[in-house]
């Protein structure tokens, strides 16, 4: 195991109250198992750095808590993060450190505030889900640089829906693209 990844996953488990997860501890916190054997965790060999955590699938598991400031900078090799349908209260701070991220699934969590502008720097992101969160505030133009984006589920309060929809349309026109799935919640589907 890459020691920093192990320590960050242990911190994540504690911060998200692993002892109360609905699917048990999912082998988390085991000192005898590699983190790569923990349920919901996938690893890959990264040249010169050993096995690194590349995927985290902990959806529908009763997580309750917040991402620590150290999460994204430490787990910088993540390609997939799926915390859908839990009780996670924030997006990972410093999300721009997740430069390899391809799938980000945060939907159906009580995440307040707006989508961090750092998402705009995630150029490899193909799937982005933050639907049915409690978003508010100015919706940043995160779509402007997401040239690989194929699928997006998100919601914005009715007050911000027009701004977000216009940003998405501008992004599509600029990049001559279409989304496989695009849904706007806040009164109507698009």
């Amino acid at each position: 195991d890459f020691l920093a990844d192990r320590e960050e996953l242990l911190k994540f488990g504690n911060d998200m109250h692993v002892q109360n997860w609905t699917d048990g501890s999912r082998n988390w916190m085991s000192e005898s198992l590699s983190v790569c054997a923990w349920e919901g965790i996938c690893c890959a060999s990264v040249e010169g750095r050993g096995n690194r955590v590349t995927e985290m699938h902990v959806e529908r598991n009763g997580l309750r808590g917040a991402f620590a400031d150290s999460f994204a900078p430490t787990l910088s090799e993540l390609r997939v993060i799926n915390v859908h349908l839990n009780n996670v209260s924030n997006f990972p701070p410093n999300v721009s450190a997740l430069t390899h991220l391809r799938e980000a699934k945060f939907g159906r969590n009580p995440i307040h505030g707006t989508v961090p502008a750092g998402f705009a720097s995630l150029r490899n992101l193909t799937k982005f889900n933050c639907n049915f969160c409690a978003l508010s505030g100015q919706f940043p133009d995160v779509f402007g640089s997401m040239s690989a984006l194929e699928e997006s589920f998100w919601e914005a309060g009715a007050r911000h829906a027009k701004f977000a929809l216009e940003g998405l349309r501008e992004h599509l026109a600029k990049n001559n693209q279409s989304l496989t799935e695009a849904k706007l919640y806040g009164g109507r589907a698009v």
Side-chain angles (χ1 to χ4, degrees):
D1 287 347
F2 190 69
L3 184 59
D5 285 3
R6 172 180 273 285
E7 290 173 355
E8 193 62 34
L9 287 179
L10 289 168
K11 180 172 180 31
F12 177 83
N14 284 321
D15 290 349
M16 296 291 179
H17 305 281
V18 67
Q19 70 277 9
N20 297 324
W21 291 3
T22 56
D23 197 14
S25 67
R26 299 182 131 198
N27 308 1
W28 282 60
M29 317 308 262
S30 172
E31 293 182 23
S32 62
L33 288 176
S34 164
V35 295
C36 302
W38 292 3
E39 194 166 336
I41 299 298
C42 297
C43 298
S45 180
V46 175
E47 191 174 325
R49 301 184 93 193
N51 280 338
R52 295 292 310 271
V53 174
T54 57
E55 297 186 23
M56 175 185 274
H57 300 272
V58 289
E59 68 279 5
R60 300 173 187 242
N61 204 28
L63 279 66
R64 178 178 298 276
F67 285 100
D69 289 347
S70 57
F71 180 87
T74 303
L75 295 174
S76 59
E77 293 295 329
L78 274 175
R79 270 72 170 163
V80 176
I81 181 169
N82 186 346
V83 295
H84 188 77
L85 276 164
N86 281 293
N87 199 6
V88 176
S89 61
N90 67 334
F91 292 108
N94 309 306
V95 70
S96 60
L98 298 174
T99 57
H100 302 288
L101 198 64
R102 291 189 321 255
E103 295 182 23
K105 297 182 179 181
F106 298 99
R108 297 184 185 261
N109 280 288
I111 298 173
H112 295 281
T114 189
V115 175
F119 273 101
S121 64
L122 304 182
R123 302 190 192 297
N124 295 315
L125 203 59
T126 60
K127 295 182 181 182
F128 182 41
N129 173 344
C130 58
N131 66 320
F132 294 108
C133 293
L135 301 178
S136 62
Q138 184 73 26
F139 195 95
D141 180 15
V142 295
F143 298 110
S145 59
M146 289 183 182
S147 58
L149 190 66
E150 298 171 358
E151 180 178 288
S152 181
F153 291 93
W154 51 283
E155 63 84 20
R159 189 172 122 205
H160 307 290
K162 183 178 179 197
F163 173 81
L165 181 57
E166 287 172 3
L168 179 57
R169 284 189 180 138
E170 287 173 19
H171 162 72
L172 293 174
K174 258 195 278 187
N175 293 293
N176 195 21
Q177 293 178 309
S178 63
L179 293 177
T180 310
E181 293 278 340
K183 300 225 179 195
L184 170 66
Y185 294 96
R188 67 181 227 261
V190 176

